[in-house]
Amino acid sequence: MKKSKELNIKITHQEATLIFSALAKRPFEEVFELIGKLNFQITEQSSKEV
């Protein structure tokens, strides 16, 4: 499988919440890796801001 290019996207906290809400409506096996990756990045960035 060809490796996908990573993207850096800036969104607000409110937009992130909306994305998580939308993903939560999808079957877990389709989105759990994406939710984990997003959550990791948000946590990592939040800890740097403190």
Side-chain angles (χ1 to χ4, degrees):
M1 181 192 292
K2 186 177 177 182
K3 184 176 179 181
S4 297
K5 181 181 175 184
E6 289 190 357
L7 302 174
N8 293 314
I9 300 171
K10 292 187 178 191
I11 58 173
T12 65
H13 183 272
Q14 185 177 5
E15 292 165 333
T17 301
L18 179 60
I19 290 169
F20 279 116
S21 294
L23 289 172
K25 294 179 181 179
R26 301 294 303 167
F28 181 74
E29 66 270 1
E30 290 181 9
V31 297
F32 76 96
E33 290 177 340
L34 179 56
I35 290 172
K37 190 172 184 177
L38 291 170
N39 191 47
F40 175 79
Q41 291 180 39
I42 289 169
T43 303
E44 187 177 63
Q45 289 179 33
S46 295
S47 67
K48 291 179 182 179
E49 293 175 359
V50 175

